[in-house]
Amino acid sequence: MKYLKLLFLSLGVVTLLVFISLQFPSVKKEIYKTLFKATVNNSMSVWEDNNSLKATVCGSGTPLRTKNVAQSCIMVEAGNDLYIVDVGDGSVANIQRWGINLSNLKAALITHLHSDHIADLPDLNLLSWVNRSREQNLTIFGPEGIETTIKGFNQAYVLDHKFRNEHHGDEQAPLGVDEMVANTIDGEGVILSDNGLTVTAFLVEHDPVTPAYGYRFDYKGRSIVISGDTAYSTNLINFAKDVDLLFHDAISYEMTDINTEAMNSFYETTNNDFYRFGADLFQHIEDYHTPFEEVAIVAKQSNAKKLIFYHVIPTPTKPIDGLMKNIMTEKVDQHHKDWLFAEEGLTIELPLNSDEIVMSNFDA
Ligand SMILES: [Zn+2]
Ligand SMILES: [Zn+2]
């Protein structure tokens, strides 16, 4: 009892001392300085000496997004080279928050030209340009039409870049390397080969969005496939043969049908077209994504080791995310046992010369 009293007294004294010291501006500034130094140091060291192929989920959401979920984005690191597949809204904020060193960014790869896959491209460009000693414009691979998108973004940001150059100078914000350059993919096949990494683009089914691509990364015996948005695709199954990690979009018809029904009933009582259009929209999107059970079949047919559901429709939302995931995956285990949902910050590492799959999370 005596010791307990002493403990409470000590805790009280410590709390009081912390409270008093926080009244001094110099103490507050010192604490901030320590935290800032730790963040900056982190942003320069994250990607050093990497001996693996690695994928990190920088965005797992869709246009029908929910709170705190960024739209589509997967970072792939092969050795010390960084690539980013799709750059949806909110994804660059995640990349910045985790202190990712964008000096190592080699290119961004866009699967197709829907807004939820391209919205943050200008921010990615800005973040990898200012202060980064970049020696050339940022390369953006993408389907036919990517040149129009990139030309438009470049044009929209001409004045922003001019102002930043005038303000920070030629060393920190040099013009001439500040833009994005479109690299249009023609057909399918290997689109880049660098430092042991091969990236292959293959066509997927997302009509009327054509062409739409998925990408396969092969690095010294380890591999990752990212589907982009697609309905069931036999072409994807062929290109995903024996892959270590398969990131695949997925839709739950059970849930979109419930949403359609709810929207229709709201329309009946309110006569507000918003609900009627909403009901139609849930039906329209069903035909260009893959239902969960079929995704599991795709993973089985391609002999993928681990399946990761990303770009999930509807996006699991707290506090009922567990319930939603449960309904979505009822039939998955019948076809493929090794699966999970892509949470933001999830990193899956494939060490070289092994079969290991190591998981961690930036936000954990
Ligand atoms: Zn999408
Ligand atoms: Zn799409």
Side-chain angles (χ1 to χ4, degrees), residues 83-104:
Y83 295 87
I84 301 185
V85 177
D86 288 337
V87 195
D89 183 34
S91 59
V92 172
N94 280 338
I95 289 169
Q96 216 168 353
R97 190 161 59 83
W98 298 327
I100 303 302
N101 184 359
L102 288 177
S103 302
N104 296 347

PDB file of all heavy atoms in Angstrom, residues 83-104:
ATOM      1  N   TYR A  83       9.364   1.957 -58.216  1.00  0.00           N
ATOM      2  CA  TYR A  83       8.349   2.189 -59.260  1.00  0.00           C
ATOM      3  C   TYR A  83       6.999   2.330 -58.562  1.00  0.00           C
ATOM      4  O   TYR A  83       6.778   1.722 -57.509  1.00  0.00           O
ATOM      5  CB  TYR A  83       8.308   1.011 -60.240  1.00  0.00           C
ATOM      6  CG  TYR A  83       9.591   0.858 -61.021  1.00  0.00           C
ATOM      7  CD1 TYR A  83      10.659   0.114 -60.502  1.00  0.00           C
ATOM      8  CD2 TYR A  83       9.759   1.496 -62.250  1.00  0.00           C
ATOM      9  CE1 TYR A  83      11.848   0.000 -61.199  1.00  0.00           C
ATOM     10  CE2 TYR A  83      10.949   1.387 -62.950  1.00  0.00           C
ATOM     11  CZ  TYR A  83      11.991   0.639 -62.430  1.00  0.00           C
ATOM     12  OH  TYR A  83      13.174   0.536 -63.119  1.00  0.00           O
ATOM     13  N   ILE A  84       6.101   3.105 -59.144  1.00  0.00           N
ATOM     14  CA  ILE A  84       4.777   3.243 -58.539  1.00  0.00           C
ATOM     15  C   ILE A  84       3.717   2.941 -59.596  1.00  0.00           C
ATOM     16  O   ILE A  84       3.726   3.521 -60.686  1.00  0.00           O
ATOM     17  CB  ILE A  84       4.581   4.657 -57.956  1.00  0.00           C
ATOM     18  CG1 ILE A  84       5.668   4.913 -56.885  1.00  0.00           C
ATOM     19  CG2 ILE A  84       3.183   4.789 -57.348  1.00  0.00           C
ATOM     20  CD1 ILE A  84       5.541   6.200 -56.139  1.00  0.00           C
ATOM     21  N   VAL A  85       2.841   1.988 -59.271  1.00  0.00           N
ATOM     22  CA  VAL A  85       1.777   1.602 -60.205  1.00  0.00           C
ATOM     23  C   VAL A  85       0.479   2.277 -59.772  1.00  0.00           C
ATOM     24  O   VAL A  85      -0.062   1.965 -58.712  1.00  0.00           O
ATOM     25  CB  VAL A  85       1.592   0.071 -60.226  1.00  0.00           C
ATOM     26  CG1 VAL A  85       0.441  -0.307 -61.154  1.00  0.00           C
ATOM     27  CG2 VAL A  85       2.877  -0.620 -60.657  1.00  0.00           C
ATOM     28  N   ASP A  86       0.017   3.209 -60.581  1.00  0.00           N
ATOM     29  CA  ASP A  86      -1.182   4.021 -60.339  1.00  0.00           C
ATOM     30  C   ASP A  86      -0.972   4.984 -59.168  1.00  0.00           C
ATOM     31  O   ASP A  86      -0.303   4.653 -58.179  1.00  0.00           O
ATOM     32  CB  ASP A  86      -2.432   3.167 -60.093  1.00  0.00           C
ATOM     33  CG  ASP A  86      -2.903   2.495 -61.386  1.00  0.00           C
ATOM     34  OD1 ASP A  86      -2.581   3.006 -62.471  1.00  0.00           O
ATOM     35  OD2 ASP A  86      -3.604   1.463 -61.295  1.00  0.00           O
ATOM     36  N   VAL A  87      -1.542   6.174 -59.332  1.00  0.00           N
ATOM     37  CA  VAL A  87      -1.312   7.231 -58.345  1.00  0.00           C
ATOM     38  C   VAL A  87      -2.658   7.918 -58.084  1.00  0.00           C
ATOM     39  O   VAL A  87      -2.883   9.050 -58.496  1.00  0.00           O
ATOM     40  CB  VAL A  87      -0.253   8.240 -58.868  1.00  0.00           C
ATOM     41  CG1 VAL A  87       0.260   9.112 -57.725  1.00  0.00           C
ATOM     42  CG2 VAL A  87       0.933   7.525 -59.511  1.00  0.00           C
ATOM     43  N   GLY A  88      -3.553   7.214 -57.377  1.00  0.00           N
ATOM     44  CA  GLY A  88      -4.884   7.758 -57.110  1.00  0.00           C
ATOM     45  C   GLY A  88      -4.869   8.831 -56.028  1.00  0.00           C
ATOM     46  O   GLY A  88      -3.859   9.024 -55.330  1.00  0.00           O
ATOM     47  N   ASP A  89      -5.982   9.502 -55.878  1.00  0.00           N
ATOM     48  CA  ASP A  89      -6.107  10.600 -54.920  1.00  0.00           C
ATOM     49  C   ASP A  89      -5.792  10.130 -53.491  1.00  0.00           C
ATOM     50  O   ASP A  89      -6.297   9.102 -53.037  1.00  0.00           O
ATOM     51  CB  ASP A  89      -7.540  11.153 -54.979  1.00  0.00           C
ATOM     52  CG  ASP A  89      -7.734  12.342 -54.070  1.00  0.00           C
ATOM     53  OD1 ASP A  89      -6.782  13.117 -53.904  1.00  0.00           O
ATOM     54  OD2 ASP A  89      -8.832  12.483 -53.513  1.00  0.00           O
ATOM     55  N   GLY A  90      -4.941  10.868 -52.811  1.00  0.00           N
ATOM     56  CA  GLY A  90      -4.590  10.550 -51.418  1.00  0.00           C
ATOM     57  C   GLY A  90      -3.348   9.691 -51.289  1.00  0.00           C
ATOM     58  O   GLY A  90      -2.778   9.579 -50.204  1.00  0.00           O
ATOM     59  N   SER A  91      -2.908   9.092 -52.405  1.00  0.00           N
ATOM     60  CA  SER A  91      -1.794   8.147 -52.303  1.00  0.00           C
ATOM     61  C   SER A  91      -0.462   8.858 -52.034  1.00  0.00           C
ATOM     62  O   SER A  91       0.375   8.350 -51.282  1.00  0.00           O
ATOM     63  CB  SER A  91      -1.698   7.283 -53.557  1.00  0.00           C
ATOM     64  OG  SER A  91      -1.510   8.073 -54.708  1.00  0.00           O
ATOM     65  N   VAL A  92      -0.277  10.042 -52.626  1.00  0.00           N
ATOM     66  CA  VAL A  92       0.998  10.740 -52.430  1.00  0.00           C
ATOM     67  C   VAL A  92       1.102  11.271 -50.989  1.00  0.00           C
ATOM     68  O   VAL A  92       2.197  11.323 -50.424  1.00  0.00           O
ATOM     69  CB  VAL A  92       1.190  11.842 -53.492  1.00  0.00           C
ATOM     70  CG1 VAL A  92       2.409  12.696 -53.189  1.00  0.00           C
ATOM     71  CG2 VAL A  92       1.339  11.199 -54.871  1.00  0.00           C
ATOM     72  N   ALA A  93      -0.026  11.589 -50.393  1.00  0.00           N
ATOM     73  CA  ALA A  93      -0.009  11.994 -48.972  1.00  0.00           C
ATOM     74  C   ALA A  93       0.509  10.829 -48.125  1.00  0.00           C
ATOM     75  O   ALA A  93       1.287  11.030 -47.186  1.00  0.00           O
ATOM     76  CB  ALA A  93      -1.404  12.405 -48.520  1.00  0.00           C
ATOM     77  N   ASN A  94       0.102   9.607 -48.449  1.00  0.00           N
ATOM     78  CA  ASN A  94       0.621   8.434 -47.729  1.00  0.00           C
ATOM     79  C   ASN A  94       2.127   8.296 -47.925  1.00  0.00           C
ATOM     80  O   ASN A  94       2.879   8.082 -46.976  1.00  0.00           O
ATOM     81  CB  ASN A  94      -0.055   7.147 -48.236  1.00  0.00           C
ATOM     82  CG  ASN A  94      -1.423   6.936 -47.627  1.00  0.00           C
ATOM     83  OD1 ASN A  94      -1.722   7.474 -46.560  1.00  0.00           O
ATOM     84  ND2 ASN A  94      -2.267   6.171 -48.292  1.00  0.00           N
ATOM     85  N   ILE A  95       2.564   8.415 -49.185  1.00  0.00           N
ATOM     86  CA  ILE A  95       3.990   8.260 -49.510  1.00  0.00           C
ATOM     87  C   ILE A  95       4.824   9.282 -48.734  1.00  0.00           C
ATOM     88  O   ILE A  95       5.896   8.968 -48.205  1.00  0.00           O
ATOM     89  CB  ILE A  95       4.179   8.418 -51.047  1.00  0.00           C
ATOM     90  CG1 ILE A  95       3.596   7.192 -51.753  1.00  0.00           C
ATOM     91  CG2 ILE A  95       5.634   8.625 -51.415  1.00  0.00           C
ATOM     92  CD1 ILE A  95       3.474   7.336 -53.259  1.00  0.00           C
ATOM     93  N   GLN A  96       4.293  10.492 -48.632  1.00  0.00           N
ATOM     94  CA  GLN A  96       4.983  11.563 -47.914  1.00  0.00           C
ATOM     95  C   GLN A  96       4.990  11.273 -46.405  1.00  0.00           C
ATOM     96  O   GLN A  96       6.004  11.414 -45.735  1.00  0.00           O
ATOM     97  CB  GLN A  96       4.236  12.876 -48.162  1.00  0.00           C
ATOM     98  CG  GLN A  96       5.145  14.046 -48.276  1.00  0.00           C
ATOM     99  CD  GLN A  96       4.428  15.270 -48.808  1.00  0.00           C
ATOM    100  OE1 GLN A  96       3.273  15.227 -49.211  1.00  0.00           O
ATOM    101  NE2 GLN A  96       5.118  16.375 -48.813  1.00  0.00           N
ATOM    102  N   ARG A  97       3.856  10.823 -45.903  1.00  0.00           N
ATOM    103  CA  ARG A  97       3.695  10.542 -44.467  1.00  0.00           C
ATOM    104  C   ARG A  97       4.652   9.449 -44.012  1.00  0.00           C
ATOM    105  O   ARG A  97       5.171   9.485 -42.903  1.00  0.00           O
ATOM    106  CB  ARG A  97       2.244  10.101 -44.254  1.00  0.00           C
ATOM    107  CG  ARG A  97       1.768   9.990 -42.834  1.00  0.00           C
ATOM    108  CD  ARG A  97       0.239  10.024 -42.806  1.00  0.00           C
ATOM    109  NE  ARG A  97      -0.363   8.957 -43.593  1.00  0.00           N
ATOM    110  CZ  ARG A  97      -0.552   7.726 -43.165  1.00  0.00           C
ATOM    111  NH1 ARG A  97      -0.168   7.404 -41.959  1.00  0.00           N
ATOM    112  NH2 ARG A  97      -1.133   6.807 -43.936  1.00  0.00           N
ATOM    113  N   TRP A  98       4.912   8.466 -44.888  1.00  0.00           N
ATOM    114  CA  TRP A  98       5.789   7.357 -44.512  1.00  0.00           C
ATOM    115  C   TRP A  98       7.273   7.681 -44.734  1.00  0.00           C
ATOM    116  O   TRP A  98       8.143   6.854 -44.472  1.00  0.00           O
ATOM    117  CB  TRP A  98       5.447   6.095 -45.327  1.00  0.00           C
ATOM    118  CG  TRP A  98       4.054   5.602 -45.091  1.00  0.00           C
ATOM    119  CD1 TRP A  98       3.340   5.674 -43.931  1.00  0.00           C
ATOM    120  CD2 TRP A  98       3.184   4.968 -46.049  1.00  0.00           C
ATOM    121  NE1 TRP A  98       2.081   5.126 -44.115  1.00  0.00           N
ATOM    122  CE2 TRP A  98       1.966   4.684 -45.391  1.00  0.00           C
ATOM    123  CE3 TRP A  98       3.321   4.620 -47.402  1.00  0.00           C
ATOM    124  CZ2 TRP A  98       0.888   4.070 -46.036  1.00  0.00           C
ATOM    125  CZ3 TRP A  98       2.259   4.003 -48.047  1.00  0.00           C
ATOM    126  CH2 TRP A  98       1.053   3.734 -47.359  1.00  0.00           C
ATOM    127  N   GLY A  99       7.552   8.882 -45.285  1.00  0.00           N
ATOM    128  CA  GLY A  99       8.946   9.289 -45.490  1.00  0.00           C
ATOM    129  C   GLY A  99       9.655   8.474 -46.562  1.00  0.00           C
ATOM    130  O   GLY A  99      10.844   8.173 -46.433  1.00  0.00           O
ATOM    131  N   ILE A 100       8.939   8.129 -47.636  1.00  0.00           N
ATOM    132  CA  ILE A 100       9.562   7.350 -48.713  1.00  0.00           C
ATOM    133  C   ILE A 100      10.539   8.234 -49.486  1.00  0.00           C
ATOM    134  O   ILE A 100      10.225   9.366 -49.842  1.00  0.00           O
ATOM    135  CB  ILE A 100       8.479   6.815 -49.697  1.00  0.00           C
ATOM    136  CG1 ILE A 100       7.446   5.973 -48.953  1.00  0.00           C
ATOM    137  CG2 ILE A 100       9.119   6.029 -50.842  1.00  0.00           C
ATOM    138  CD1 ILE A 100       7.995   4.792 -48.216  1.00  0.00           C
ATOM    139  N   ASN A 101      11.720   7.675 -49.754  1.00  0.00           N
ATOM    140  CA  ASN A 101      12.747   8.436 -50.460  1.00  0.00           C
ATOM    141  C   ASN A 101      12.503   8.409 -51.967  1.00  0.00           C
ATOM    142  O   ASN A 101      12.862   7.459 -52.645  1.00  0.00           O
ATOM    143  CB  ASN A 101      14.118   7.836 -50.136  1.00  0.00           C
ATOM    144  CG  ASN A 101      15.223   8.642 -50.749  1.00  0.00           C
ATOM    145  OD1 ASN A 101      14.982   9.649 -51.430  1.00  0.00           O
ATOM    146  ND2 ASN A 101      16.448   8.211 -50.523  1.00  0.00           N
ATOM    147  N   LEU A 102      11.923   9.493 -52.481  1.00  0.00           N
ATOM    148  CA  LEU A 102      11.565   9.512 -53.907  1.00  0.00           C
ATOM    149  C   LEU A 102      12.751   9.803 -54.830  1.00  0.00           C
ATOM    150  O   LEU A 102      12.587   9.870 -56.039  1.00  0.00           O
ATOM    151  CB  LEU A 102      10.432  10.511 -54.149  1.00  0.00           C
ATOM    152  CG  LEU A 102       9.070  10.057 -53.622  1.00  0.00           C
ATOM    153  CD1 LEU A 102       8.028  11.149 -53.839  1.00  0.00           C
ATOM    154  CD2 LEU A 102       8.600   8.775 -54.281  1.00  0.00           C
ATOM    155  N   SER A 103      13.952   9.969 -54.255  1.00  0.00           N
ATOM    156  CA  SER A 103      15.138  10.118 -55.111  1.00  0.00           C
ATOM    157  C   SER A 103      15.351   8.843 -55.916  1.00  0.00           C
ATOM    158  O   SER A 103      16.007   8.848 -56.953  1.00  0.00           O
ATOM    159  CB  SER A 103      16.379  10.365 -54.268  1.00  0.00           C
ATOM    160  OG  SER A 103      16.190  11.500 -53.481  1.00  0.00           O
ATOM    161  N   ASN A 104      14.824   7.732 -55.431  1.00  0.00           N
ATOM    162  CA  ASN A 104      15.017   6.448 -56.115  1.00  0.00           C
ATOM    163  C   ASN A 104      13.903   6.122 -57.096  1.00  0.00           C
ATOM    164  O   ASN A 104      13.883   5.036 -57.672  1.00  0.00           O
ATOM    165  CB  ASN A 104      15.092   5.309 -55.087  1.00  0.00           C
ATOM    166  CG  ASN A 104      16.298   5.442 -54.190  1.00  0.00           C
ATOM    167  OD1 ASN A 104      17.197   6.222 -54.475  1.00  0.00           O
ATOM    168  ND2 ASN A 104      16.317   4.711 -53.098  1.00  0.00           N
TER     169      ASN A 104
END
